[in-house]
Amino acid sequence: MEMNQTTKFINHLREAIQQEVFVKLSLGNYKGEEQNLKQIFVKPVVIKRQTMYAFTLRYQTKDIFKNFSFDDTLSTINNYLLDGFNVATLFTTTEEFILERNLKGAVKLRASQLKNVKSVVKTHDKEKKRLIAAVDNFYLNALGVTDGDGTVLKHAQDKFRQINQYVEILSSLIKELPENSIHDVVDMGSGKGYLTFALYDYLQQIVQKANVVGVEFRKDMVELCNAIAQQSSFDQLSFVEGTIDSYQPQNIDLLIALHACDTATDDAIYKGIKADAELIVVAPCCHKQIRREIEKNKAQNDLNFLTKHGIFLERQAEMVTDGLRALILEYFGYKTKVFEFVSDVHTPKNVMVVGIKSKKLKVKGGNLEVLSEAQNKILQKIKDTKAYFGIGYHHLERLLGL
C-alpha cells in the first residue's frame, strides 16, 4: 500500500516536471538515520541553459546544495521517501499534493486545487539579474564575450560583469534626467566598442531612440564595430575615426569618456559643456598635466610632508585634477558627483566624475554674461586651489577660457 501511494506521488512529480508546471517540493518530518538532517527543498533551475533541479538539504547547523538531472531527481526523492521522510509536499502551478506517513506506518496521499495559480521560476539563486543579457545577443558573440549559445566565455567573465556594472551606473544617472531627453550620445574613445554597444542596447530597451556615436582613432576598430552594428541591425549606432580633440559633434545630450588619458578627459568635458550636454560621464586615466605643474612650482603648504613621496604626489595630483574638473562643471551649471567604482575583480578602483545639467542655473554652451554669486565663489575656490598647490593652469580651465 505504501509503495503504491509513494509511486503515485512520484508519478505526479514526473508529470509536473514533464508538463513544466513543477514549482517546488519539500520533504519533512525526517526520522531516518542521517544525523542532523531535517528537511529537503527542491526547485527547478537553469544552469548552462539546461533545466536542473536544485536540492537544499537542511541540517541542524548547515545547508548543503546539490543539483540533479530529471531522472536523478525522481530516484533521489523516491529513495528519501522510503528511507526516513514522513511528509512530502509537491506544488504545481495549480495543485498541491501531500504525502504523509503516520506513526503506524500508514501512508496517505491527498490532492487539492490551489486558489491562486503559481508560476514556475527557474532562475538560479546565484544568478544575478543583469540589464545586458548574454543570450541571443549577437554583438556580445561577435566581440568575443559569449559563444554561439549565449554562454559567457571563461576569459570574458570579468568583461561581462564590467559591461553590466557600467550600464547599471548609467541607467541610474539617466533616470535623473527629464524623460526622453537623450537623443544624441557620443562615446569618446570607444575602443572595441563593448560599452558603446551595451549602452545602445540598454537605450533600446527603455525606448530611448537615441543616435549613438563611438569615436575611436584606430581605423581597424572603427571598421570592426561598424560591421557588427550593421549585422546587429543597430541602425542608429555608428563609429567614426578620429580623436577626442578633433571630433566636432553637432549635438550631444550624453557624453561619455572612459579612461581617456590625461588631458584627453578635459577635451571630452569641454566638448560636453560647449554642446550643453544633459549628462557628462568621465572616468579619467592618468593625471600628468597637474602633477607636472605641482612638481615644477614646488609650492610650500601643509601637505609637503606627503607630496615629497612620489606615490602620494601621484594620488594628490589625481584628487586635485578631478576636484578642479568637478568645480569647473559646477561653474557651468552642472550638479556633480564624484565616486569610486570597481569595474571588475582584477582591475584597480576607478574614479567616475559625473555632471548632470542643472535647470536652476541657466548656462548654455559656456556662454556667461552675468556671473552669479555661486559662480564667483567657485572661481575663487579654483584660484585658491591652484595657488595652494602651485598650479599655473588646468587644461580644462584653459580650454574654456576661465
Side-chain angles (χ1 to χ4, degrees), residues 71-305:
D71 290 334
D72 289 341
T73 294
L74 297 178
S75 61
T76 302
I77 295 296
N78 186 72
N79 291 338
Y80 274 123
L81 288 175
L82 297 175
D83 189 27
F85 281 99
N86 295 306
V87 178
T89 305
L90 165 64
F91 285 97
T92 71
T93 55
T94 58
E95 293 180 282
E96 176 187 36
F97 298 92
I98 300 176
L99 184 74
E100 290 184 286
R101 180 187 296 107
N102 63 24
L103 294 176
K104 295 181 180 180
V107 178
K108 292 184 179 180
L109 176 62
R110 66 179 189 270
S112 60
Q113 294 288 321
L114 298 175
K115 292 182 179 179
N116 298 313
V117 175
K118 293 182 176 291
S119 59
V120 177
V121 179
K122 293 185 179 181
T123 303
H124 196 284
D125 282 344
K126 295 182 180 179
E127 182 179 337
K128 181 179 179 181
K129 184 178 180 181
R130 300 189 184 277
L131 294 175
I132 302 301
V135 179
D136 297 327
N137 219 330
F138 174 81
Y139 69 86
L140 289 178
N141 176 232
L143 292 170
V145 178
T146 64
D147 63 17
D149 294 326
T151 300
V152 179
L153 298 172
K154 186 176 181 180
H155 74 272
Q157 295 285 339
D158 291 339
K159 175 60 68 176
F160 184 62
R161 283 192 291 271
Q162 179 193 33
I163 288 169
N164 272 281
Q165 189 198 25
Y166 162 79
V167 173
E168 286 170 9
I169 290 171
L170 283 177
S171 69
S172 65
L173 296 172
I174 290 170
K175 288 175 183 176
E176 295 188 38
L177 302 177
E179 189 174 356
N180 295 321
S181 60
I182 302 297
H183 303 290
D184 293 284
V185 179
V186 177
D187 185 358
M188 299 284 198
S190 54
K192 197 174 179 180
Y194 297 104
L195 306 181
T196 323
F197 277 99
L199 176 58
Y200 183 88
D201 185 4
Y202 171 71
L203 291 173
Q204 294 292 102
Q205 292 177 38
I206 61 172
V207 200
Q208 288 264 13
K209 300 298 183 183
N211 292 305
V212 179
V213 177
V215 180
E216 171 57 39
F217 73 92
R218 290 171 293 180
K219 184 178 181 180
D220 58 334
M221 290 292 100
V222 172
E223 292 175 347
L224 171 68
C225 291
N226 275 325
I228 295 173
Q230 185 176 9
Q231 292 167 338
S232 302
S233 297
F234 286 178
D235 299 332
Q236 292 178 271
L237 172 63
S238 62
F239 294 81
V240 298
E241 185 181 351
T243 63
I244 295 173
D245 181 48
S246 65
Y247 181 67
Q248 299 298 327
Q250 293 183 343
N251 299 297
I252 304 177
D253 299 308
L254 167 56
L255 180 137
I256 303 155
L258 304 185
H259 306 125
C261 189
D262 197 19
T263 56
T265 294
D266 296 316
D267 294 333
I269 295 173
Y270 169 73
K271 301 281 186 183
I273 290 175
K274 297 303 289 184
D276 202 34
E278 293 284 337
L279 179 61
I280 297 173
V281 180
V282 297
C285 176
C286 308
H287 300 73
K288 297 176 183 177
Q289 188 256 315
I290 290 299
R291 175 170 178 162
R292 285 194 295 266
E293 288 288 302
I294 294 174
E295 289 178 317
K296 180 176 68 175
N297 297 305
K298 295 182 171 58
Q300 296 300 307
N301 58 49
D302 295 337
L303 296 180
N304 286 142
F305 77 100

Side-chain angles (χ1 to χ4, degrees), residues 250-392:
Q250 293 183 343
N251 299 297
I252 304 177
D253 299 308
L254 167 56
L255 180 137
I256 303 155
L258 304 185
H259 306 125
C261 189
D262 197 19
T263 56
T265 294
D266 296 316
D267 294 333
I269 295 173
Y270 169 73
K271 301 281 186 183
I273 290 175
K274 297 303 289 184
D276 202 34
E278 293 284 337
L279 179 61
I280 297 173
V281 180
V282 297
C285 176
C286 308
H287 300 73
K288 297 176 183 177
Q289 188 256 315
I290 290 299
R291 175 170 178 162
R292 285 194 295 266
E293 288 288 302
I294 294 174
E295 289 178 317
K296 180 176 68 175
N297 297 305
K298 295 182 171 58
Q300 296 300 307
N301 58 49
D302 295 337
L303 296 180
N304 286 142
F305 77 100
L306 287 177
T307 54
K308 70 178 181 179
H309 302 289
I311 184 65
F312 290 152
L313 173 59
E314 182 177 345
R315 292 176 181 175
Q316 190 66 63
E318 291 175 5
M319 289 189 290
V320 173
T321 302
D322 292 334
L324 287 172
R325 285 167 173 160
L327 283 173
I328 292 169
L329 280 164
E330 290 168 11
Y331 176 81
F332 283 99
Y334 287 85
K335 179 179 70 174
T336 60
K337 296 181 180 184
V338 180
F339 55 90
E340 200 172 46
F341 73 102
V342 182
S343 59
D344 58 60
V345 295
H346 298 300
T347 59
K349 293 180 179 179
N350 296 275
V351 169
M352 186 167 278
V353 181
V354 174
I356 302 173
K357 193 69 176 178
S358 173
K359 299 306 177 187
K360 295 180 181 179
L361 183 59
K362 300 293 185 182
V363 181
K364 186 171 183 179
N367 296 320
L368 301 170
E369 295 180 0
V370 179
L371 298 184
S372 68
E373 182 180 353
Q375 287 171 301
N376 280 314
K377 286 183 178 180
I378 292 171
L379 282 180
Q380 188 61 49
K381 175 63 71 175
I382 293 172
K383 181 179 178 181
D384 293 344
T385 301
K386 287 163 54 186
Y388 186 79
F389 289 101
I391 298 170

